[in-house]
Amino acid sequence: MLELATSADRAAVNALARQVHELHVSWRPDIFRSVEEIYPEERFLECIQARQLYVAKLNGVPVGYILTKIKEYNIPSMQPRRIFVLEEICVDESFRGHGIGTRIMEDFHALARAFGCTDLELGVHPENDDAVGFYQKCGFTIKSIHMQRKV
């Protein structure tokens, strides 16, 4: 279902990204702010060139996307690991609950194998109960809890 995004997908990805971004704005207005474009042209093209941005399409129409990155650990105090990180994921609001997210996550897992990764990783806001449940259904477990405090 996932394919590497192309420049023709930018408007659709921006529309999808805004759906998720506005949730973040509502949860953490101290960090996030509303913007028209999540992916200005330069950033969008950089993500494509780095093979980090993938689009899920139904009948040629983007209905979801993911942004990924690879982190590598190869230091003496840790086991060597190559982690495929899910930076962002979105399924269009009108298509949620129809298995598209599950298919995207299956493809995410397959991409990780193709890139020689040893682990999958993602972050999720604790307010996003639906996403937490979905990720657990996909086999993810809580690895750590990040905390912060204002200065």
Side-chain angles (χ1 to χ4, degrees):
M1 166 163 258
L2 285 177
E3 56 188 67
L4 188 63
T6 68
S7 57
D9 297 320
R10 190 166 77 86
V13 168
N14 267 303
L16 291 164
R18 281 194 46 138
Q19 290 179 17
V20 172
H21 184 75
E22 288 305 316
L23 287 173
H24 292 107
V25 171
S26 70
W27 293 324
R28 294 300 308 265
D30 59 316
I31 297 174
F32 298 99
R33 61 181 174 185
S34 293
V35 293
E36 284 301 310
E37 280 192 319
I38 309 301
Y39 288 95
E41 186 172 10
E42 184 178 332
R43 178 178 182 222
F44 191 82
L45 294 174
E46 286 172 1
C47 291
I48 292 172
Q49 290 169 352
R51 303 188 61 81
Q52 295 175 313
L53 188 61
Y54 297 86
V55 178
K57 295 183 179 180
L58 283 180
N59 301 319
V61 177
V63 296
Y65 81 94
I66 62 171
L67 178 68
T68 66
K69 75 175 179 182
I70 294 175
K71 290 192 313 190
E72 296 200 48
Y73 293 96
N74 195 10
I75 58 176
S77 62
M78 296 179 75
Q79 295 293 335
R81 295 181 301 149
R82 184 175 171 90
I83 301 172
F84 202 39
V85 181
L86 184 62
E87 290 284 309
E88 297 175 20
I89 181 172
C90 179
V91 173
D92 189 286
E93 293 166 331
S94 60
F95 288 92
R96 292 180 190 159
H98 295 93
I100 292 169
T102 300
R103 290 176 56 196
I104 288 173
M105 293 302 284
E106 289 168 354
D107 285 1
F108 173 65
H109 190 236
L111 280 169
R113 281 193 304 271
F115 289 134
C117 294
T118 58
D119 300 271
L120 302 175
E121 184 175 282
L122 56 85
V124 61
H125 281 270
E127 298 91 342
N128 198 342
D129 294 328
D130 290 340
V132 171
F134 171 69
Y135 297 138
Q136 288 174 329
K137 186 179 101 174
C138 291
F140 287 82
T141 58
I142 295 173
K143 176 184 93 169
S144 65
I145 297 173
H146 293 266
M147 300 176 78
Q148 89 177 60
R149 176 181 166 196
K150 290 286 186 192
V151 177

